[in-house]
Amino acid sequence: MTKARTLALKIDTRELDTLRDRLGEMTGEEIGRATVTALNGVVDRAYELSRERMIAGINLSDDYLRRRMRVEHATKGKPVASITASGARDDLTVLSRFDAKPVIVQNKKGRAGKGNELLGIPSGQRQAGVKVSVTRGNEDFIERGFMLPLRRGTQAGGNGYGVFARSRDGTLKHRYGPSVYQLFAYQVQTVSYAAEEDLEETLIEQVTEVLQKVNP
């Protein structure tokens, strides 16, 4: 069995050497509370920034990203927070999600055809390709493409629709668009840098606030 891929952005405090002296003035309980509060605030902001950058120009909804990403907050016993996206096959993004529309043409003479009720294609007409908009404002044409209902159990169309295309040698292939995993992988390094800077600033603020209460 192939192990599913996951991509995680992890945020912790191990590299914050600039705070070492100031943390020495606090109790373990105070350090723990300040660390957890800072980490969780930073991971939430990093999560917002990640999604914002991931769908900039891509024709996916923020809700779709939220359903395929996971945020794990830090706790007192585990001062690490993370954002995770799965690269498992079940989490790939079918091309039909990107505003896919079948291109409908009249059948050739003498071939009435049944059409396709599920796709709203009347009798006597057929699909002659598919148009999709992966990036907002742009439309691509999938030559020799067509849409088919994806089954959920025995229900045709119960899992939405897929875009398929047959190559010149007759091979049929289900087409996919950029997945949440791929979009996150593209942004994770720059978001990680931003999170590290945010964490240092946020933890300094938390530490300062605690010390001011102890030594007003």
Side-chain angles (χ1 to χ4, degrees), residues 95 98-105 126-135 137-147 163-166 168 175:
L95 192 59
F98 296 92
D99 248 356
K101 300 180 183 68
V103 177
I104 309 303
V105 298
R126 63 182 177 84
Q127 298 183 70
V130 178
K131 290 182 178 180
V132 296
S133 299
V134 175
T135 56
N138 294 307
E139 194 171 59
D140 298 311
F141 177 68
I142 309 299
E143 189 177 4
R144 294 185 297 280
F146 53 93
M147 296 180 67
V163 174
F164 295 79
R166 197 176 294 279
R168 294 187 183 279
R175 300 286 297 271

Side-chain angles (χ1 to χ4, degrees), residues 10-205:
K10 292 187 177 181
I11 304 170
D12 61 36
T13 58
R14 288 175 297 182
E15 303 302 323
L16 299 182
D17 293 333
T18 56
L19 286 173
R20 189 167 294 163
D21 292 339
R22 302 191 71 181
L23 290 174
E25 302 174 39
M26 299 167 60
T27 67
E29 186 74 21
E30 290 167 341
I31 292 172
R33 283 200 302 268
T35 299
V36 168
T37 299
L39 281 170
N40 291 338
V42 169
V43 79
D44 286 340
R45 288 191 289 275
Y47 179 47
E48 296 291 328
L49 178 62
S50 298
R51 299 195 327 274
E52 179 183 317
R53 291 183 176 180
M54 286 163 67
I55 59 173
I58 297 292
N59 203 13
L60 286 175
S61 69
D62 184 57
D63 178 66
Y64 182 81
L65 265 59
R66 285 176 181 270
R67 287 185 279 117
R68 282 159 177 77
M69 298 177 74
R70 183 169 59 88
V71 175
E72 185 174 348
H73 285 114
T75 63
K76 182 179 178 181
K78 186 181 178 183
V80 178
S82 64
I83 306 167
T84 307
S86 169
R89 183 171 180 79
D90 288 346
D91 293 316
L92 295 178
T93 304
V94 294
L95 192 59
S96 57
R97 180 164 289 278
F98 296 92
D99 248 356
K101 300 180 183 68
V103 177
I104 309 303
V105 298
Q106 193 73 28
N107 266 350
K108 295 179 181 179
K109 290 182 179 180
R111 299 181 61 187
K114 296 181 180 179
N116 188 315
E117 185 177 348
L118 287 172
L119 287 169
I121 302 172
S123 177
Q125 297 186 346
R126 63 182 177 84
Q127 298 183 70
V130 178
K131 290 182 178 180
V132 296
S133 299
V134 175
T135 56
R136 295 190 180 99
N138 294 307
E139 194 171 59
D140 298 311
F141 177 68
I142 309 299
E143 189 177 4
R144 294 185 297 280
F146 53 93
M147 296 180 67
L148 289 175
L150 301 175
R151 289 185 176 274
R152 176 174 290 159
T154 59
Q155 181 187 2
N159 204 25
Y161 293 83
V163 174
F164 295 79
R166 197 176 294 279
S167 63
R168 294 187 183 279
D169 65 3
T171 303
L172 184 64
K173 186 176 182 181
H174 190 181
R175 300 286 297 271
Y176 293 87
S179 67
V180 174
Y181 177 93
Q182 291 170 317
L183 295 171
F184 188 45
Y186 186 76
Q187 298 293 342
V188 71
Q189 187 171 18
T190 56
V191 172
S192 178
Y193 289 147
E196 288 174 6
E197 293 180 0
D198 186 7
L199 178 58
E200 184 161 357
E201 293 174 4
T202 303
L203 194 49
I204 287 173
E205 291 173 3

